[in-house]
Amino acid sequence: MIRSHLRISRRRLLKTGAAGAAAVGTFSIIGRARAAEEINALVWCDHSDPALLKPFEDTYGIKVNTKEFAATGEALAILEQSQPGDWDVLVLDTVDITKVAAMGHLAALTKSDYPWDDIFPQLTTESLHFLNGKLYGIPEKFGYNTVAYNSSKVDPADMRKASVLWNEKYKGRIAIYDYYVPLMQMVAIGIGIIPPQLTQDQLPAIKAKLLEMKPLAALIGDVVTVQNALVSGSADIIAGGGEFATAGLHGENPALDWVLPDEGGIRWMQSLAIFEKSKRKEAASKFVKYIMSPAGQARLATSACYWAMPANNKAALSDEQKKILRWDEQPTFLSKSYHYMSPNPEMDKAMLEVWTEFLNA
């Protein structure tokens, strides 16, 4: 079954102010925690899974009230509509951790309180989690925007080539995830450009390749749309797909798979933070520690909303779960993948213009 509430669109660029507030104008926030044994958390859908929350609640006697949001701007708008101290824990796109910390919303964390040394080292980039020498976010889960596919209908060897995105062999069989940042980075990799070094001068080459891809596409859509296309057979490949699109469905259809091309791919990541104005920081820290524990990490990685890799390399996953997540290939995948770009306003505008032209072609 398709998880219709999948929220991968959460990884949109940071939006603040009135526009962000308008985006969540009809949201109703939960009441303030009534006692020390309750905490309130702004989360992505994978953290609302009872299979994740109940063991913590039963063990610590702390009730976790969750509210889901899709994009960072929506979380900020919720904060604007809330009273100081309403919220305790935040799940956030890692690229936005230092931005939100700079706004004064996040509490500094003590690294030794968490299993930092057990986190895959490629995920602990200081510039993503530290601001002015202080830690504000703990990486908890990650995955890839890469190539997802139905192995019974394509040649799996082709999927390990970045050029599969414009391989005419698969004309009319490719669903393209409609998010410009990772897709344009994927194209960059395919034509030999290292994503962190992408400049505006190189955008024409990326546009040319995107326009080459367009006639081959079966459809372009959000995560649920492209995932549904793969499941229904309307498409055999998802450009920009990954473990989040197929791993949770593997039990229903083992042919649904994903892989990182040999040339590399794009890595997304989410982190946990505690709000500076939380009045229940001790309880919030217990929750973060639980999520980062081997058992918590396994439950988070295999959440009903979407599967992805746990940040803790000691996550208590079964051999079958590790196989579905391509655990043994992670050293290679991590070394060949790049963090999401966080383009400056000028670059972002230029990329959006290229993507809009691609959509309208």
Side-chain angles (χ1 to χ4, degrees):
M1 178 185 297
I2 295 296
R3 277 74 176 178
S4 61
H5 55 310
L6 192 63
R7 297 288 182 88
I8 304 302
S9 61
R10 62 188 181 276
R11 292 189 295 276
R12 296 292 180 181
L13 294 178
L14 183 66
K15 295 183 177 69
T16 59
V24 294
T26 60
F27 280 24
S28 59
I29 66 172
I30 60 177
R32 298 177 68 178
R34 293 180 297 279
E37 66 270 19
E38 294 192 16
I39 59 172
N40 296 331
L42 283 176
V43 300
W44 293 347
C45 61
D46 56 339
H47 289 70
S48 296
D49 190 344
L52 173 68
L53 299 179
K54 192 173 186 302
F56 171 79
E57 294 175 335
D58 290 348
T59 299
Y60 293 95
I62 299 172
K63 171 68 176 173
V64 182
N65 303 308
T66 63
K67 180 172 181 59
E68 297 176 13
F69 67 93
T72 299
E74 293 177 10
L76 294 174
I78 292 170
L79 287 179
E80 291 176 3
Q81 299 169 3
S82 305
Q83 295 298 315
D86 272 356
W87 301 99
D88 306 298
V89 175
L90 176 67
V91 176
L92 197 61
D93 186 334
T94 300
V95 298
D96 289 335
I97 284 288
T98 57
K99 299 174 187 176
V100 177
M103 296 175 185
H105 291 307
L106 305 183
L109 305 174
T110 301
K111 188 167 69 170
S112 60
D113 286 346
Y114 307 98
W116 194 261
D117 291 342
D118 294 334
I119 297 172
F120 289 100
Q122 295 89 342
L123 308 182
T124 59
T125 304
E126 186 167 328
S127 62
L128 294 175
H129 300 96
F130 290 79
L131 181 67
N132 298 326
K134 295 181 179 180
L135 175 66
Y136 288 96
I138 307 295
E140 58 160 10
K141 189 172 179 178
F142 71 99
Y144 305 90
N145 284 112
T146 178
V147 180
Y149 57 92
N150 186 324
S151 62
S152 69
K153 296 183 178 181
V154 303
D155 182 349
D158 290 341
M159 304 302 109
R160 290 184 178 269
K161 301 173 184 175
S163 60
V164 70
L165 302 184
W166 48 86
N167 187 335
E168 296 231 1
K169 177 179 177 180
Y170 298 106
K171 184 175 183 178
R173 300 163 63 187
I174 303 174
I176 299 176
Y177 173 36
D178 184 10
Y179 187 18
Y180 65 105
V181 174
L183 266 294
M184 292 178 72
Q185 287 182 277
M186 289 177 65
V187 171
I189 290 171
I191 60 176
I193 298 171
I194 298 174
Q197 299 174 6
L198 181 62
T199 66
Q200 281 188 246
D201 292 341
Q202 295 166 320
L203 292 183
I206 291 177
K207 181 174 75 171
K209 193 56 70 174
L210 285 170
L211 295 177
E212 186 179 329
M213 291 167 56
K214 184 67 178 287
L216 308 182
L219 59 95
I220 301 170
D222 62 16
V223 169
V224 173
T225 299
V226 297
Q227 186 187 44
N228 190 45
L230 185 67
V231 172
S232 68
S234 300
D236 299 327
I237 299 169
I238 299 177
E243 72 300 306
F244 63 85
T246 63
L249 301 173
H250 193 80
E252 300 168 33
N253 186 351
L256 300 183
D257 208 345
W258 68 280
V259 75
L260 195 83
D262 293 338
E263 296 91 339
I266 307 305
R267 185 189 331 131
W268 58 267
M269 183 163 59
Q270 59 194 64
S271 295
L272 281 165
I274 295 175
F275 283 106
E276 171 63 25
K277 294 182 180 179
S278 168
K279 299 175 182 177
R280 299 163 288 272
K281 286 190 175 72
E282 183 177 351
S285 182
K286 287 180 180 179
F287 182 65
V288 174
K289 290 175 183 177
Y290 160 72
I291 292 293
M292 294 307 301
S293 70
Q297 283 282 279
R299 294 176 186 128
L300 179 65
T302 57
S303 169
C305 186
Y306 62 94
W307 285 37
M309 276 291 297
N312 188 333
N313 61 33
K314 289 183 170 56
L317 293 166
S318 69
D319 289 343
E320 180 61 22
Q321 290 168 336
K322 287 184 175 182
K323 180 179 178 182
I324 293 170
L325 290 171
R326 294 188 177 270
W327 184 277
D328 291 343
E329 292 192 77
Q330 289 305 312
T332 298
F333 287 1
L334 283 164
S335 68
K336 290 186 175 183
S337 58
Y338 302 90
H339 289 299
Y340 258 55
M341 285 180 64
S342 185
N344 61 40
E346 183 179 357
M347 183 65 167
D348 184 44
K349 180 181 178 182
M351 291 175 70
L352 271 172
E353 288 176 352
V354 169
W355 191 252
T356 300
E357 187 173 342
F358 159 68
L359 294 177
N360 295 332

